[in-house]
Amino acid sequence: MIRRRLLLDEHRLTEHEQKSLDLLELIRQRGPLTRTELSQGSGFNIVTVSNYVSDFIKQGLVVERGFDVSTGGRKPVLVELNAKSGFAIGVDVGPMGYPKTTMTGLITDLKGTIVHRIVRPRPLESMDQILAHGGELIGELLKSSPVDPKKIQGAAIGISGVLDERAGTIRDTSQRGIRTSYLAARDRWEAEFKLPVLIGNDASLGGYGEYRLGLDRSVENMVYLYSDVGASLIFHGHIFWGSGGSAGQLGVFVPSGDDYLNWVKSPGFVVSNVWDLGLSSQARKLIQEGNATTITQLVQDRLDTITMETVIQAAASGDQVARELLEHSALQLGIRIASLVNLLNPDVVVIGGGIEKAGSLLLDPVWRAVKRYSYEEPASLVDILPATLGDNAVALGAACWVIREIFVQA
């Protein structure tokens, strides 16, 4: 069972904790490996590696498996992660203020492989009710778990909102000024489920999931954009939570009474809190102005049902209005990314939250904007990639957060 720590202490690891994390992550990602390969991959000397591996074996986290090919002398022993020695729960309660919202809960082994998954519709409700739904989903996962509940080491919930860990509150970004304390709910769940429960922002956890499970190579620094409402900042392999847990909120707050269509005329880095890059609202406006588009056919003239997915579908079929809308929004997003590339100089920027489903129709204009508005030096180093975990990103990131703590505390 892991020990819950403060968000703001997440990156403050002792030398022992950091080495445990590095070695176990290396074994998870590349195993089975010999101790010599672990030494070469981590940069730690062979004696240190052997001592840590011996401890991992005693704890059951790592097992020895056969022998590698010998280059002379005794055959080296391979070690690999004992993925079924522990499990983690990850929950995504879904974005606030978005129609047809679903909650996703899952259980993974220590490699991040999903062994159980539940998806439920979630009504648009207040933050305290949504918190309650998150706790209910943890309970449902435990009751229907195909694995021994005693092997589940912890649970984490990704919630859309602005966190203040110092006060123990979370605020719905679509209802400015309304704060909800999560402390009582978390303490109640921990007492009921006999598990540590971690709570973090959904964008931060979605990015962590992509960082640990979605990339095909190891990187140090990554920015993940959760559509256009939030970001995950990964520095030197750790989530950057900020001073109170709310880092990653993009741009400025747009008051709900303001007209978004006026805001889109501003530079791209100003607009914020628009889940679908403004695609649905701009599509409705253009249709009402008399522009002909197949979007109306797709929604059977029910303009209130136009979504980001509708515009993407129309654009993919060749609709000119939809393609222009998507390109305009992509350029705006590209300007925002260019400012982040200049500011943070990341290895990778991953675009997720659903908008990545547009594929090259989004990524090509985004990349053109990044090359145009970023300085040559950081732009030459960064890759712009679509997210790969889909609707599981936040829940998998939450589970990866639990797995990280298992590795850190080994």
Side-chain angles (χ1 to χ4, degrees):
M1 195 75 67
I2 63 171
R3 179 183 72 259
R4 174 168 49 80
R5 300 185 301 151
L6 294 174
L7 282 183
L8 309 185
D9 290 335
E10 285 287 310
H11 67 287
R12 300 188 180 102
L13 302 183
T14 65
E15 182 180 354
H16 179 86
E17 290 171 338
Q18 185 65 58
K19 285 181 177 178
S20 291
L21 176 61
D22 291 346
L23 288 170
L24 286 167
E25 270 297 328
L26 192 58
I27 295 170
R28 183 188 70 81
Q29 294 173 13
R30 302 183 194 175
L33 297 168
T34 65
R35 288 165 173 78
T36 299
E37 289 171 332
L38 276 171
S39 176
Q40 293 169 345
S42 65
F44 306 144
N45 67 60
I46 189 67
V47 175
T48 298
V49 169
S50 296
N51 289 336
Y52 274 82
V53 169
S54 295
D55 287 342
F56 299 154
I57 291 172
K58 289 177 183 177
Q59 296 176 57
L61 287 170
V62 167
V63 294
E64 294 183 328
R65 195 198 76 176
F67 299 92
D68 197 8
V69 177
S70 176
T71 57
R74 191 169 60 179
K75 290 183 178 180
V77 179
L78 292 164
V79 296
E80 67 178 353
L81 187 68
N82 184 8
K84 306 302 181 184
S85 64
F87 297 88
I89 288 178
V91 171
D92 172 17
V93 297
M96 296 293 295
Y98 192 65
K100 299 180 180 179
T101 300
T102 60
M103 299 187 300
T104 300
L106 47 82
I107 299 175
T108 74
D109 65 17
L110 296 187
K111 283 190 174 181
T113 302
I114 298 172
V115 298
H116 187 42
R117 182 173 181 263
I118 296 174
V119 179
R120 295 281 182 268
R122 195 210 75 203
L124 298 178
E125 296 180 315
S126 62
M127 181 61 77
D128 57 344
Q129 292 170 315
I130 289 170
L131 277 168
H133 285 313
E136 290 168 2
L137 193 50
I138 292 175
E140 189 175 350
L141 285 164
L142 288 168
K143 288 178 182 178
S144 59
S145 171
V147 302
D148 184 355
K150 293 180 180 178
K151 286 190 173 183
I152 296 174
Q153 302 296 300
I157 303 178
I159 297 180
S160 175
V162 182
L163 266 75
D164 184 349
E165 190 178 53
R166 297 165 301 180
T169 62
I170 186 166
R171 178 169 58 78
D172 174 4
T173 55
S174 67
Q175 300 180 23
R176 191 173 188 177
I178 299 178
R179 299 175 186 273
T180 299
S181 173
Y182 59 79
L183 296 179
R186 186 186 64 191
D187 292 347
R188 184 173 67 252
W189 299 333
E190 290 186 335
E192 178 182 353
F193 305 134
K194 305 297 188 295
L195 285 175
V197 177
L198 315 176
I199 295 178
N201 177 265
D202 55 358
S204 295
L205 294 179
Y208 194 63
E210 294 288 345
Y211 179 77
R212 286 300 183 197
L213 302 176
L215 297 179
D216 61 0
R217 62 187 174 92
S218 297
V219 301
E220 280 282 297
N221 305 303
M222 187 190 91
V223 174
Y224 166 83
L225 296 185
Y226 192 48
S227 191
D228 199 35
V229 296
S232 179
L233 308 176
I234 310 290
F235 297 145
H236 302 295
H238 301 294
I239 300 174
F240 177 72
W241 296 102
S243 298
S246 65
Q249 302 299 322
L250 293 172
V252 298
F253 185 88
V254 180
S256 58
D258 284 16
D259 182 1
Y260 170 74
L261 294 175
N262 288 330
W263 279 86
V264 298
K265 299 174 184 177
S266 303
F269 61 86
V270 171
V271 185
S272 185
N273 301 320
V274 184
W275 175 260
D276 64 352
L277 304 182
L279 288 172
S280 57
S281 60
Q282 290 183 76
R284 283 191 289 270
K285 179 176 183 293
L286 292 174
I287 292 170
Q288 289 166 351
E289 290 175 351
N291 291 277
T293 169
T294 58
I295 294 174
T296 54
Q297 299 170 20
L298 292 174
V299 298
Q300 299 179 337
D301 294 321
R302 295 171 57 197
L303 301 190
D304 60 321
T305 65
I306 294 174
T307 63
M308 174 179 68
E309 290 79 8
T310 311
V311 178
I312 291 174
Q313 183 181 352
S317 66
D319 183 84
Q320 189 60 32
V321 169
R323 287 195 168 210
E324 290 178 359
L325 274 175
L326 193 56
E327 172 136 351
H328 170 76
S329 295
L331 289 172
Q332 294 288 318
L333 182 62
I335 293 172
R336 185 192 297 283
I337 292 174
S339 70
L340 293 172
V341 168
N342 286 338
L343 178 66
L344 302 174
N345 192 194
D347 301 297
V348 173
V349 174
V350 175
I351 301 174
I355 190 64
E356 77 280 3
K357 296 173 184 176
S360 61
L361 293 173
L362 171 87
L363 293 174
D364 288 351
V366 162
W367 184 233
R368 288 199 302 271
V370 170
K371 288 194 290 186
R372 180 173 181 179
Y373 295 106
S374 297
Y375 290 112
E376 178 183 353
E377 291 80 1
S380 68
L381 296 174
V382 71
D383 285 330
I384 312 293
L385 302 175
T388 62
L389 300 183
D391 295 337
N392 291 326
V394 174
L396 278 172
C400 283
W401 186 14
V402 175
I403 294 168
R404 174 191 187 274
E405 288 303 303
I406 294 171
F407 289 177
V408 165
Q409 298 176 32

mmCIF file of all heavy atoms in Angstrom, residues 1-2 87-90 151-156 195-198 399 402 406:
data_model
loop_
_atom_site.group_PDB
_atom_site.id
_atom_site.type_symbol
_atom_site.label_atom_id
_atom_site.label_comp_id
_atom_site.label_asym_id
_atom_site.label_seq_id
_atom_site.Cartn_x
_atom_site.Cartn_y
_atom_site.Cartn_z
ATOM 1 N N MET A 1 0.847 -1.195 0.000
ATOM 2 C CA MET A 1 0.000 0.000 0.000
ATOM 3 C C MET A 1 0.883 1.246 0.000
ATOM 4 O O MET A 1 1.809 1.356 0.800
ATOM 5 C CB MET A 1 -0.894 0.003 1.243
ATOM 6 C CG MET A 1 -2.045 0.983 1.163
ATOM 7 S SD MET A 1 -3.359 0.420 0.084
ATOM 8 C CE MET A 1 -3.968 -0.997 0.987
ATOM 9 N N ILE A 2 0.586 2.182 -0.900
ATOM 10 C CA ILE A 2 1.400 3.394 -0.971
ATOM 11 C C ILE A 2 0.993 4.381 0.118
ATOM 12 O O ILE A 2 -0.070 4.265 0.735
ATOM 13 C CB ILE A 2 1.273 4.071 -2.348
ATOM 14 C CG1 ILE A 2 -0.178 4.526 -2.605
ATOM 15 C CG2 ILE A 2 1.776 3.164 -3.444
ATOM 16 C CD1 ILE A 2 -0.330 5.395 -3.839
ATOM 17 N N PHE A 87 -1.682 -3.588 -8.285
ATOM 18 C CA PHE A 87 -2.594 -2.991 -9.259
ATOM 19 C C PHE A 87 -2.953 -1.572 -8.811
ATOM 20 O O PHE A 87 -2.790 -1.220 -7.639
ATOM 21 C CB PHE A 87 -3.856 -3.844 -9.411
ATOM 22 C CG PHE A 87 -3.583 -5.216 -9.953
ATOM 23 C CD1 PHE A 87 -3.261 -6.263 -9.091
ATOM 24 C CD2 PHE A 87 -3.638 -5.460 -11.311
ATOM 25 C CE1 PHE A 87 -2.997 -7.532 -9.578
ATOM 26 C CE2 PHE A 87 -3.372 -6.734 -11.810
ATOM 27 C CZ PHE A 87 -3.055 -7.763 -10.952
ATOM 28 N N ALA A 88 -3.434 -0.765 -9.768
ATOM 29 C CA ALA A 88 -3.773 0.628 -9.485
ATOM 30 C C ALA A 88 -5.129 0.957 -10.092
ATOM 31 O O ALA A 88 -5.492 0.438 -11.153
ATOM 32 C CB ALA A 88 -2.706 1.556 -10.061
ATOM 33 N N ILE A 89 -5.870 1.825 -9.418
ATOM 34 C CA ILE A 89 -7.155 2.316 -9.929
ATOM 35 C C ILE A 89 -6.971 3.729 -10.448
ATOM 36 O O ILE A 89 -6.359 4.577 -9.789
ATOM 37 C CB ILE A 89 -8.231 2.297 -8.826
ATOM 38 C CG1 ILE A 89 -8.655 0.863 -8.517
ATOM 39 C CG2 ILE A 89 -9.456 3.120 -9.240
ATOM 40 C CD1 ILE A 89 -9.683 0.748 -7.402
ATOM 41 N N GLY A 90 -7.503 3.996 -11.639
ATOM 42 C CA GLY A 90 -7.514 5.337 -12.202
ATOM 43 C C GLY A 90 -8.924 5.704 -12.619
ATOM 44 O O GLY A 90 -9.640 4.894 -13.214
ATOM 45 N N LYS A 151 -4.526 -6.596 -3.563
ATOM 46 C CA LYS A 151 -3.352 -6.240 -4.353
ATOM 47 C C LYS A 151 -3.432 -4.836 -4.952
ATOM 48 O O LYS A 151 -2.474 -4.357 -5.538
ATOM 49 C CB LYS A 151 -3.147 -7.257 -5.477
ATOM 50 C CG LYS A 151 -2.604 -8.603 -5.020
ATOM 51 C CD LYS A 151 -2.207 -9.442 -6.215
ATOM 52 C CE LYS A 151 -1.504 -10.715 -5.793
ATOM 53 N NZ LYS A 151 -1.045 -11.491 -6.979
ATOM 54 N N ILE A 152 -4.585 -4.185 -4.817
ATOM 55 C CA ILE A 152 -4.737 -2.828 -5.335
ATOM 56 C C ILE A 152 -4.085 -1.863 -4.346
ATOM 57 O O ILE A 152 -4.456 -1.806 -3.172
ATOM 58 C CB ILE A 152 -6.216 -2.493 -5.555
ATOM 59 C CG1 ILE A 152 -6.801 -3.415 -6.631
ATOM 60 C CG2 ILE A 152 -6.376 -1.036 -5.976
ATOM 61 C CD1 ILE A 152 -8.293 -3.268 -6.838
ATOM 62 N N GLN A 153 -3.099 -1.117 -4.834
ATOM 63 C CA GLN A 153 -2.255 -0.310 -3.956
ATOM 64 C C GLN A 153 -2.746 1.113 -3.722
ATOM 65 O O GLN A 153 -2.286 1.795 -2.808
ATOM 66 C CB GLN A 153 -0.836 -0.256 -4.536
ATOM 67 C CG GLN A 153 -0.189 -1.621 -4.736
ATOM 68 C CD GLN A 153 0.021 -2.331 -3.427
ATOM 69 O OE1 GLN A 153 0.711 -1.846 -2.545
ATOM 70 N NE2 GLN A 153 -0.592 -3.501 -3.283
ATOM 71 N N GLY A 154 -3.650 1.599 -4.562
ATOM 72 C CA GLY A 154 -4.126 2.962 -4.404
ATOM 73 C C GLY A 154 -5.022 3.349 -5.568
ATOM 74 O O GLY A 154 -5.125 2.623 -6.567
ATOM 75 N N ALA A 155 -5.691 4.493 -5.425
ATOM 76 C CA ALA A 155 -6.578 5.002 -6.472
ATOM 77 C C ALA A 155 -6.289 6.477 -6.687
ATOM 78 O O ALA A 155 -5.893 7.194 -5.755
ATOM 79 C CB ALA A 155 -8.044 4.804 -6.077
ATOM 80 N N ALA A 156 -6.486 6.938 -7.916
ATOM 81 C CA ALA A 156 -6.312 8.353 -8.239
ATOM 82 C C ALA A 156 -7.458 8.803 -9.133
ATOM 83 O O ALA A 156 -7.923 8.036 -9.982
ATOM 84 C CB ALA A 156 -4.971 8.597 -8.925
ATOM 85 N N LEU A 195 -7.925 2.428 1.101
ATOM 86 C CA LEU A 195 -6.947 2.736 0.061
ATOM 87 C C LEU A 195 -6.574 4.214 0.121
ATOM 88 O O LEU A 195 -7.434 5.051 0.432
ATOM 89 C CB LEU A 195 -7.533 2.484 -1.340
ATOM 90 C CG LEU A 195 -7.694 1.061 -1.859
ATOM 91 C CD1 LEU A 195 -8.396 1.109 -3.211
ATOM 92 C CD2 LEU A 195 -6.340 0.395 -2.003
ATOM 93 N N PRO A 196 -5.322 4.561 -0.184
ATOM 94 C CA PRO A 196 -5.002 5.974 -0.368
ATOM 95 C C PRO A 196 -5.643 6.466 -1.657
ATOM 96 O O PRO A 196 -5.651 5.754 -2.671
ATOM 97 C CB PRO A 196 -3.471 5.978 -0.470
ATOM 98 C CG PRO A 196 -3.115 4.604 -0.904
ATOM 99 C CD PRO A 196 -4.155 3.690 -0.336
ATOM 100 N N VAL A 197 -6.223 7.650 -1.629
ATOM 101 C CA VAL A 197 -6.894 8.224 -2.802
ATOM 102 C C VAL A 197 -6.206 9.542 -3.158
ATOM 103 O O VAL A 197 -6.129 10.452 -2.325
ATOM 104 C CB VAL A 197 -8.397 8.452 -2.539
ATOM 105 C CG1 VAL A 197 -9.049 9.109 -3.758
ATOM 106 C CG2 VAL A 197 -9.092 7.136 -2.227
ATOM 107 N N LEU A 198 -5.711 9.635 -4.391
ATOM 108 C CA LEU A 198 -5.041 10.828 -4.876
ATOM 109 C C LEU A 198 -5.983 11.593 -5.796
ATOM 110 O O LEU A 198 -6.734 10.997 -6.571
ATOM 111 C CB LEU A 198 -3.770 10.452 -5.642
ATOM 112 C CG LEU A 198 -2.855 9.395 -5.006
ATOM 113 C CD1 LEU A 198 -1.690 9.076 -5.932
ATOM 114 C CD2 LEU A 198 -2.358 9.863 -3.659
ATOM 115 N N ALA A 399 -3.871 6.166 -13.044
ATOM 116 C CA ALA A 399 -3.301 4.885 -12.614
ATOM 117 C C ALA A 399 -1.783 4.941 -12.628
ATOM 118 O O ALA A 399 -1.122 4.410 -11.726
ATOM 119 C CB ALA A 399 -3.806 3.761 -13.519
ATOM 120 N N VAL A 402 -0.426 6.420 -9.498
ATOM 121 C CA VAL A 402 -0.356 5.454 -8.405
ATOM 122 C C VAL A 402 0.861 4.544 -8.587
ATOM 123 O O VAL A 402 1.614 4.273 -7.639
ATOM 124 C CB VAL A 402 -1.645 4.620 -8.332
ATOM 125 C CG1 VAL A 402 -1.519 3.526 -7.272
ATOM 126 C CG2 VAL A 402 -2.848 5.512 -8.027
ATOM 127 N N ILE A 406 4.150 3.736 -6.200
ATOM 128 C CA ILE A 406 4.593 2.386 -5.816
ATOM 129 C C ILE A 406 6.089 2.254 -6.071
ATOM 130 O O ILE A 406 6.849 1.741 -5.231
ATOM 131 C CB ILE A 406 3.797 1.318 -6.595
ATOM 132 C CG1 ILE A 406 2.329 1.338 -6.204
ATOM 133 C CG2 ILE A 406 4.397 -0.077 -6.354
ATOM 134 C CD1 ILE A 406 1.438 0.471 -7.066
#
